[in-house]
Amino acid sequence: MTVSSSVNKVSANGNGSTTVFPYSFKIFDQDDLTVILRNASGGETTQTISTNYTVSGVGNASGGNVTMGTAPASGESLTIIREQPLTQGLDLVANDPFPAASFEDTLDKLVFMVQQHEETLNRTIKGSKTTTITNPSFTTNATARANKVFAFDASGNIDITQEIGVYKGNWASGTTYAVRDLVKDTSTNNIFIAITAHTSSGSQPLTTNTDSAKWALIVDAASAATSATASANSATASANSATASANSATASASSASTSSTKASEASTSASNAATSATAASTSATNSANSATAAATSETNAAAAADASAKALAIALGG
């Protein structure tokens, strides 16, 4: 047959009732399938044929079914993948009739192997087609690689380097620490990482401990606490300043109100004084008019008396 599809893996979600799961590619033997049950937490368990499932459709170009003994639950998933054995069983004998069917099956198996490797490569971490890594190899032995991680060096090539290790809790004297172990210095709350394997001695703080050179500071909690205290004090000072400013503003507003009241009172007093002055002026004018009238009256009376005296003199023969 021809191999027109590159599909060699299918996945399906469980629902607690479905037990039959189809696969759509050809296999030559029921053992050519690997069935993996994945739980909701990501844990994977490879299933065992006959014990956990059975297979139908062996040799069919369109595939067949995997029937589970127990239905995968909701949240679980089932992956069925073809894994062709990496062997070649065809033996061509010289001068024998050409075994076309066997030869074609062998070609199919070779294609299946290529597809199998391609599926694996598609799940690996790799550089793009334009990425160049001059030296993708490493020579570090197993002992030196233990508990280390892959990294890239200054040239961008593969390197083996240190990683953050296991947290061991509070530091204690007489304890064996491995490289990358993390501990807490309870005297400062700082976090340190061991850069040299050793059995601890001395006392805290680790910055002045006899083994201080074997530790590297990871978290400077003491400085952070100092900064936090300073920030809190600054915030308190700012709050106090704001309160003082508010009080000053209140006092200023009260003083302004008092000044406004005094100004109003002064204005009223001035108005009253002006009214009194006007009244006094009017009174003075009236008094002057009365005096003038009295003087005029007195002059008129004197003139009348003088006229009367002259008349009397004439009458007496004067």
Side-chain angles (χ1 to χ4, degrees):
M1 64 168 240
T2 60
V3 180
S4 59
S5 173
S6 62
V7 174
N8 68 340
K9 181 174 71 173
V10 294
S11 295
N13 294 323
N15 57 14
S17 60
T18 300
T19 58
V20 178
F21 298 88
Y23 63 93
S24 58
F25 41 83
K26 181 179 179 178
I27 59 173
F28 288 97
D29 190 281
Q30 65 177 8
D31 291 329
D32 292 352
L33 289 181
T34 295
V35 178
I36 302 171
L37 184 66
R38 181 185 178 94
N39 63 32
S41 301
E44 297 180 349
T45 304
T46 299
Q47 304 297 285
T48 302
I49 192 168
S50 298
T51 301
N52 302 119
Y53 67 93
T54 58
V55 176
S56 65
V58 174
N60 292 337
S62 59
N65 294 314
V66 167
T67 302
M68 298 294 294
T70 301
S74 296
E76 293 182 328
S77 63
L78 196 71
T79 296
I80 305 168
I81 184 169
R82 179 178 61 207
E83 294 190 331
Q84 178 65 41
L86 305 180
T87 58
Q88 197 284 104
L90 178 63
D91 183 19
L92 296 176
V93 179
N95 300 317
D96 274 4
F98 184 73
S102 297
F103 188 78
E104 189 172 29
D105 285 347
T106 298
L107 290 178
D108 289 348
K109 290 178 181 179
L110 291 175
V111 173
F112 293 169
M113 292 178 195
V114 173
Q115 291 179 346
Q116 179 175 319
H117 292 317
E118 180 66 16
E119 190 278 332
T120 300
L121 288 173
N122 286 340
R123 290 184 283 107
T124 61
I125 297 174
K126 52 187 178 293
S128 69
K129 290 182 175 64
T130 61
T131 299
T132 299
I133 299 178
T134 304
N135 183 13
S137 303
F138 61 88
T139 58
T140 311
N141 62 32
T143 300
R145 292 196 308 269
N147 298 316
K148 300 290 178 61
V149 295
F150 272 122
F152 294 98
D153 61 18
S155 300
N157 291 316
I158 298 296
D159 192 13
I160 306 296
T161 189
Q162 181 173 298
E163 65 168 334
I164 297 299
V166 178
Y167 180 59
K168 296 294 186 178
N170 297 337
W171 177 89
S173 180
T175 303
T176 299
Y177 290 110
V179 175
R180 298 178 324 284
D181 280 348
L182 297 170
V183 296
K184 177 181 179 181
D185 183 336
T186 55
S187 68
T188 60
N189 289 326
N190 288 342
I191 304 298
F192 291 84
I193 183 173
I195 56 177
T196 302
H198 67 286
T199 299
S200 59
S201 61
S203 60
Q204 300 179 101
L206 293 184
T207 50
T208 58
N209 183 275
T210 54
D211 296 324
S212 60
K214 298 173 183 177
W215 296 99
L217 181 64
I218 295 294
V219 178
D220 191 349
S223 296
T226 299
S227 297
T229 299
S231 297
N233 291 338
S234 177
T236 299
S238 296
N240 291 338
S241 177
T243 299
S245 296
N247 292 338
S248 177
T250 300
S252 296
S254 178
S255 177
S257 177
T258 301
S259 296
S260 176
T261 300
K262 294 298 183 182
S264 177
E265 292 175 350
S267 177
T268 299
S269 295
S271 177
N272 292 339
T275 300
S276 296
T278 300
S281 177
T282 300
S283 178
T285 299
N286 291 338
S287 295
N289 291 337
S290 296
T292 299
T296 300
S297 178
E298 184 178 350
T299 299
N300 291 336
D306 184 61
S308 296
K310 286 180 178 181
L312 181 60
I314 294 171
L316 294 177

